[in-house]
Each structure stands twice: as C-alpha cells, then as structure tokens.
Amino acid sequence: METILSSHSLSPILNPKASTSKSLLSPSIQPRSASLPLSKPFTCALKKQTSQSLKPSLAEPKTWFVHAQRGLAALAISLALNFSPVLHTGNAWASEFDVINEGPPKDSYVFDDANVLSRVTKSDLRQLLSDLESRKTFHINFVTVRKLTSKADAFEYADQVLERWYPTLEEGNNKGIVVLVTSQKEGAVTGGPAFIEAVGEKILDATVSENLPVLATDEKYNEAIYSSAKRLVAAIDGLPDPGGPKFKENKKESNFKSREETEEKRGQFSLVVGGLLVIAFVVPMAQYYAYVSKK
C-alpha cells in the first residue's frame, strides 16, 4: 500500500513535467520495482515464440498439399475446356452476323468476310457480273464466311441472307445469293423466283455439288467462286453448261471422325475429367487429414 500511495505514483498526475523528465531517463536508472510486473508478459512472449516456431513445420505439408491440389484442379479444368462440347451462344461478333447486318455490297458483288479471295478474282467477278446485270438485270452476290454457328448448313444461311438483304419479293425477285463456308467446305445457291427459273434446278444442283465443295476441299476458293459465277451466267444467257469438277477426280480421304466416334471419345473424356476432379479435391484432403491425425 505504501508503494501505491507514494508520492512517486501521484507525481505524473500532479506534475506533468516531472513525468516527462522521468521518461527521458535511461533504462538502467529506472527503479527495479518497475521491471517486476513484466514477468507475466515475458512468459506470454515465450509462448508466442514457441507457437510461431511450430508453424513452419505445419505449413510445409499444408503448402505442398495446396500446390498439389491447385495443379490437379487446373489440369482437370483444362481438359474439361478442351474436350467438352462447345456451346454456341450466337454472339453478335460472329462474322456470319456481320454479313447479315451490313447488307449487300454496294461497290462490288462480293462480300469476302472469310478473306480468301484475291484482288484479281474480285475484279473478274465484278466485270462478269456487272455485264450480266446490264444485259439481263440479274444481280448475283457472292458471300464467303469462315464458319456457321446459328444455322445448320449453308442453305439455311443463304436463305437468311436473302431475306434480310431483300425483304420484299420485288427487291429479291431477280437477285441471287451464292454462299461459300470455308471451314465446312460447302456452299449454297439461292435467289428469288425469277433468278431460280432463269438458272434452272439442274445447274443450281450441279454448282452446289460440284464447283463449290470439290474446289473448296482443295482450298481453291478463288476457282470455286469464279467457276460458279461463270456457270450461273452461262445458264442465264442460255449458253452450254461449262461443267465443273467431279468428286471422283479430286476426292480425298476424310480426316474427320464420324458422329459415333465423337460420342464415344466424348464419353471417355468425361470419365477422365471426372476422375481428375475427384483426385484434385478428395485425395489431398484425405492425405492432409491423415497427416493431422498423426500429430
């Protein structure tokens, strides 16, 4: 009680200057009685240091498990993205929609969105088709796209282009649309009633089954487009059919898998991805639990 009620304990309250001067003294001059209450905090500091010294030993296996789990999870996600079927969302940035929204070409007869036609081919097409339009009033547009995501085949897409570009019968009566899909190696020809009657079903079918797919398979896109144009113009003018290449002459063995093979492979990949997901999440947890239980 004497120490608590001494004048030294009351001096910081009654005399602030004295407390300030006292704090400036060196630790060696301080009274020894002030160091006695530090015994308990010193004991707590030892406990903290002991607990901190144990953390690295426990963190090493935990860090190893975390890295292993993340690596396996990343591998599983990568395989799932590579082998899962692609969902077509129909985004507006696809090239096929650009063709529809921009409308028919104004300065030429070609909408080469796939960028596979040369300047010479475009110039020859313009000369050939402009001469046809001036003589017969038939207008033919050629469209190339890389792939289709919104429609099942080139025929549906060609009909969609015709309806959007020429929405009325008067506008599309004497118009023709020729579509070439480079990734699928196929094409289609459509048009208004007057154009279909002038060309004839026979030439339309021959152009779609010979000129466009056969030459596109060999990646001869310029020849496929220009030979189709000459064949259609000759039919409208009533000239003899120049003909086209045959699949028997240029047929190559297909590298694409059948639908059955694709479904079989997809099932196998699903099992592999599922197994990797189990390994990525279950096995590290089991190993970590076994490690902790031993401790």
Side-chain angles (χ1 to χ4, degrees), residues 35-265:
S35 63
L36 294 177
L38 296 175
S39 59
K40 290 184 178 180
F42 182 72
T43 305
C44 295
L46 289 177
K47 292 181 179 180
K48 290 182 179 180
Q49 291 178 359
T50 306
S51 62
Q52 290 178 357
S53 63
L54 294 176
K55 284 183 179 180
S57 62
L58 294 175
E60 289 179 359
K62 185 176 180 180
T63 304
W64 183 85
F65 286 123
V66 169
H67 286 299
Q69 184 178 2
R70 289 178 180 176
L72 292 174
L75 178 61
I77 294 173
S78 177
L79 290 174
L81 292 176
N82 288 332
F83 300 114
S84 61
V86 179
L87 298 177
H88 300 303
T89 57
N91 294 329
W93 48 261
S95 60
E96 56 185 303
F97 297 102
D98 295 337
V99 174
I100 295 175
N101 295 330
E102 291 186 17
K106 298 179 181 180
D107 300 332
S108 64
Y109 299 83
V110 181
F111 201 123
D112 185 24
D113 190 76
N115 196 23
V116 294
L117 302 180
S118 64
R119 293 183 179 179
V120 176
T121 300
K122 293 178 182 179
S123 177
D124 293 342
L125 284 172
R126 183 175 182 179
Q127 182 178 357
L128 177 66
L129 299 176
S130 62
D131 178 69
L132 173 68
E133 186 174 11
S134 63
R135 293 185 294 102
K136 301 288 186 177
T137 67
F138 286 102
H139 185 96
I140 306 176
N141 290 311
F142 285 80
V143 178
T144 65
V145 293
R146 294 181 180 86
K147 62 180 179 179
L148 297 178
T149 58
S150 63
K151 296 300 180 181
D153 53 31
F155 291 96
E156 293 185 13
Y157 181 68
D159 291 335
Q160 184 182 15
V161 173
L162 180 66
E163 293 174 1
R164 290 291 298 272
W165 285 5
Y166 309 106
T168 63
L169 179 61
E170 291 76 12
E171 291 178 342
N173 186 36
N174 59 345
K175 302 296 191 303
I177 302 292
V178 180
V179 174
L180 176 63
V181 185
T182 58
S183 63
Q184 300 173 2
K185 313 299 183 185
E186 66 175 5
V189 181
T190 188
F195 173 80
I196 299 297
E197 183 179 359
V199 176
E201 293 291 342
K202 182 179 179 180
I203 300 300
L204 291 175
D205 294 338
T207 303
V208 171
S209 60
E210 296 175 359
N211 297 77
L212 294 175
V214 174
L215 295 172
T217 302
D218 296 334
E219 298 185 354
K220 298 179 179 179
Y221 303 116
N222 292 275
E223 186 177 353
I225 292 295
Y226 191 68
S227 63
S228 300
K230 290 194 299 182
R231 199 166 190 178
L232 295 175
V233 170
I236 295 175
D237 288 334
L239 300 176
D241 181 22
K246 303 295 183 181
F247 262 119
K248 295 180 181 179
E249 299 174 359
N250 299 298
K251 187 174 182 180
K252 293 183 178 180
E253 185 178 356
S254 177
N255 293 326
F256 297 99
K257 296 180 180 179
S258 62
R259 184 175 183 179
E260 292 76 11
E261 294 176 347
T262 303
E263 294 295 335
E264 182 181 358
K265 293 292 184 182

